Amino acid sequence: MRVAAIDCGTNAIRLLIADVSDGKLVDVARRMEIVRLGEGVDRTGLLAPAAIERTRTALLGYAAEIAELGVTRVRMCATSATRDAGNAQDFRDMVRGVLGIDPEVITGEEEATLSFLGAVQGLDVPGPYLVFDLGGGSTEFVTGTTGVEHAISMDIGCVRMTERHLHSDPPTPAEIAAAEADITAAVDTALAAVGSSQAGTLVGLAGTVTTVAAIALDLPGYDSARIHHSRIDAADVARVTAELLRMTVAERRALPVMHPGRADVIGAGALIERIIVERSGHASVIASEHDILDGIAFGLATP
């Protein structure tokens, strides 16, 4: 069976087309576009028309590839920004017009479950796991071994924290301190809710985590194969975070592993990751390239 999973978050819209056989996914295509759908949502409570249009343009390309590659089942999930927006119906109407299906605006708990399912497939380290999916508008925290035991979604993400706190380029010490206080309070609440002290392995998902890993590994370019399941020491996460927060957006954009659309929000994202690693007490974090997209795809293969 050939399936297509689409994840539309606050910062990026991503596509996975995969063949499902014997309970495993075989990638046919993975795509990612930075569309910043959630631009301004934390402040206005609405999706900006320009952001919806950027998303529509990316989705048109995805729809063409889905048709060309003979996909039989499609599912699109929309997450934090769309949950928060008062005009989410405009977004749903746009998606229906392009894809011919309705997007599912999933809850934070559903997002966490799908992320965990995708992350632990093929992970060759012992559980129980603490998985965090660091997005643009929210971060999901999940604990479990073979399945989800506890999950919570918190409204801390790289776009939301940048828009709320990090206004200077580079951010000032006072801005960073305000962001740290906000993030730490949310992380402590989440870790207590999911029983993180029982987890033996920390796993991080999404673009911030994989980009921080790529910088820590000193890669000459973004290399998914080398990043996937790499183990990054807590000290290296802290070092990379400090470096990114000292840089201007232009300096970050010049890094060979940096997607240009991530450069303005990666500082806040790295700060969230650093605080999660520190507050959870783990000596390292495993970076995973498999996440909610894989979870959505696995779900499509289940009748």
Side-chain angles (χ1 to χ4, degrees), residues 106-135:
I106 60 175
T107 68
E109 289 70 25
E110 289 173 312
E111 185 176 357
T113 298
L114 289 168
S115 296
F116 183 87
L117 176 62
V120 301
Q121 294 291 330
L123 191 58
D124 190 22
V125 291
Y129 308 108
L130 168 59
V131 176
F132 66 96
D133 185 354
L134 202 171

Side-chain angles (χ1 to χ4, degrees), residues 147-191:
V148 174
E149 294 174 12
H150 303 284
I152 191 170
S153 178
M154 304 300 292
D155 281 341
I156 50 169
C158 59
V159 175
R160 193 185 297 271
M161 291 297 99
T162 299
E163 291 184 350
R164 188 178 292 178
H165 296 294
L166 305 184
H167 304 131
S168 304
D169 185 23
T172 66
E175 290 171 349
I176 295 169
E180 284 181 319
D182 199 358
I183 295 163
T184 299
V187 168
D188 285 351
T189 297
L191 295 178

